[in-house]
Amino acid sequence: MKLATIVDNINSRDGQLVVVSRDLKTAVKTTEIAKTMQEAIDNWNVVEPQLRKVAEDLEKGVLENTFGFSTAHIMSPIPRAYHWVDGSAYVTHVELVRKARGAELPASFWADPLVYMGASDAFIGPNDDILVENEEWGIDFEAEVAVITDDIPAGTKTEQAQKHIKLVMLVNDVTLRNLIPNELGKQFGFYQSKPWTSFSPVAVTPDELGASWDGTKVHLPLTSTLNETKIGSPNAGIDMTFDFARLIEHVSKTRSLTAGTIIGSGTVANNGSPDGSSCLAEVRCLETIQNGAPETPYMKFGDTIEIEMLDQEGNSVFGKIKQKVVQYFPG
């Protein structure tokens, strides 16, 4: 089952939930079942079977109130969330970044996940512009996988965590690299360096991934293309040190999590692969290690980033994130 949120002038902040066909061509509103994604996930046990029936009828072509699924009128699958926590599950990525600046990776990083809380008051749509004031802030994309959960009790262990994963989607975790050093130097985490985040056009139930979903990871390549040039296509199921079950255990250690919580994987990366990068920072690190200095610039105004995951038959699973970097002027 594939779900999305379309623009709704009445419910402008949270949009209207729709069920989308597997080929991403048609959709149908679910107003009588759940108006929004948050309403659906809040009542998932009751709502999910009803949404699945709609999805089945949509595939059969027996519904009359369908419409063309246009990416021009869609929002993030969940336009705002109570909780958005992003991890750094691909430790080889962290190791590479530290190596490029001559720092060793602490041994604890291989056993204890890194996470931070991101801004969840509003997300931008998969085709919305990335608005940034200054190119010198070091504009970068980060291609990731994320899950949406139901209510998770405090102290949940990995063995119980898998059942709480209800939906899977892609992420572009936009990062302003040149603002990071000063923020981390304060030893209090990210804020200014992490502007609004975007997600894929649709979120899918894990069964849509078939054998490519093992219960805690997605085993498919995640492709990032900048200005029609491929940056990387690492397999999201390889080198994921901490799978989503382990991330859930980590973030629920001291408190429960609310339905609709989004947990990101962090930048997908494959160790030692020439095709294994999902952000420009990693590309620049590889250049630094090999040549002594980075050659690839960060994104500029007018650049376009595309992020997509295809299944084993070459079909788009989540739709494509396609965004243009645009300068904004305060005031």
Side-chain angles (χ1 to χ4, degrees):
M1 178 170 61
K2 300 189 177 187
L3 301 176
T5 296
I6 62 172
V7 173
D8 179 9
N9 293 331
I10 297 176
N11 189 15
S12 59
R13 289 185 185 271
D14 298 304
Q16 167 65 57
L17 181 66
V18 297
V19 173
V20 183
S21 61
R22 287 195 174 95
D23 62 9
L24 304 176
K25 292 183 178 180
T26 59
V28 60
K29 294 182 179 180
T30 63
T31 308
E32 296 182 359
I33 301 173
K35 294 181 180 179
T36 67
M37 179 70 85
Q38 185 62 53
E39 181 182 348
I41 207 73
D42 279 338
N43 304 281
W44 192 252
N45 288 340
V46 174
V47 167
E48 189 260 354
Q50 300 176 55
L51 292 175
R52 281 195 179 275
K53 179 61 167 62
V54 172
E56 291 171 3
D57 290 343
L58 181 62
E59 295 300 321
K60 293 176 182 177
V62 298
L63 299 178
E64 297 181 354
N65 54 341
T66 61
F67 56 91
F69 184 61
S70 170
T71 56
H73 302 290
I74 55 175
M75 306 169 74
S76 167
I78 183 165
R80 52 179 174 169
Y82 294 117
H83 194 163
W84 153 231
V85 56
D86 200 15
S88 192
Y90 298 84
V91 179
T92 54
H93 166 74
V94 184
E95 183 180 42
L96 178 64
V97 171
R98 293 177 71 92
K99 181 179 179 181
R101 65 172 189 259
E104 291 189 10
L105 186 75
S108 63
F109 279 37
W110 294 99
D112 192 28
L114 293 171
V115 301
Y116 77 92
M117 285 186 65
S120 63
D121 54 319
F123 301 123
I124 56 176
N127 301 119
D128 290 345
D129 291 338
I130 299 170
L131 302 178
V132 181
E133 182 182 346
N134 193 330
E135 285 183 342
E136 294 184 2
W137 289 347
I139 309 164
D140 199 0
F141 69 91
E142 290 189 50
E144 308 180 12
V145 179
V147 298
I148 301 177
T149 75
D150 62 4
D151 289 307
I152 300 176
T156 294
K157 304 302 181 184
T158 56
E159 295 78 10
Q160 291 80 42
Q162 178 178 332
K163 66 183 180 182
H164 293 290
I165 298 172
K166 301 305 177 184
L167 294 165
V168 185
M169 55 186 179
L170 303 182
V171 188
N172 181 14
D173 179 37
V174 179
T175 301
L176 304 176
R177 298 291 182 186
N178 294 338
L179 299 185
I180 289 179
N182 285 340
E183 288 206 291
L184 294 188
K186 299 175 183 178
Q187 299 184 353
F188 212 61
F190 300 116
Y191 192 84
Q192 292 178 337
S193 52
K194 292 290 185 176
W196 278 348
T197 306
S198 59
F199 296 90
S200 51
V202 302
V204 311
T205 48
D207 59 282
E208 285 291 329
L209 294 160
S212 298
W213 174 254
D214 68 3
T216 60
K217 301 177 186 178
V218 180
H219 293 267
L220 287 171
L222 179 59
T223 302
S224 304
T225 306
L226 180 62
N227 298 328
E228 300 184 356
T229 297
K230 187 171 76 169
I231 299 299
S233 191
N235 191 303
I238 298 175
D239 295 323
M240 190 178 189
T241 309
F242 306 110
D243 61 26
F244 283 111
R246 180 67 180 89
L247 291 176
I248 288 172
E249 177 181 16
H250 181 80
V251 298
S252 67
K253 180 176 180 178
T254 60
R255 58 171 164 167
S256 59
L257 304 178
T258 302
T261 290
I262 304 171
I263 301 174
S265 67
T267 310
V268 176
N270 287 167
N271 185 32
S273 169
D275 200 29
S277 300
S278 293
C279 67
L280 295 178
E282 181 165 314
V283 172
R284 288 165 59 88
C285 286
L286 290 168
E287 293 170 344
T288 299
I289 293 169
Q290 182 175 354
N291 305 319
E295 301 172 0
T296 300
Y298 287 121
M299 291 194 291
K300 305 294 184 181
F301 300 138
D303 285 353
T304 299
I305 180 63
E306 300 176 52
I307 299 171
E308 189 173 25
M309 180 176 278
L310 305 181
D311 63 19
Q312 295 175 349
E313 286 72 43
N315 302 308
S316 184
V317 180
F318 304 94
K320 181 186 293 184
I321 296 174
K322 185 176 182 179
Q323 298 179 281
K324 186 177 181 180
V325 180
V326 175
Q327 185 176 23
Y328 77 79
F329 300 91

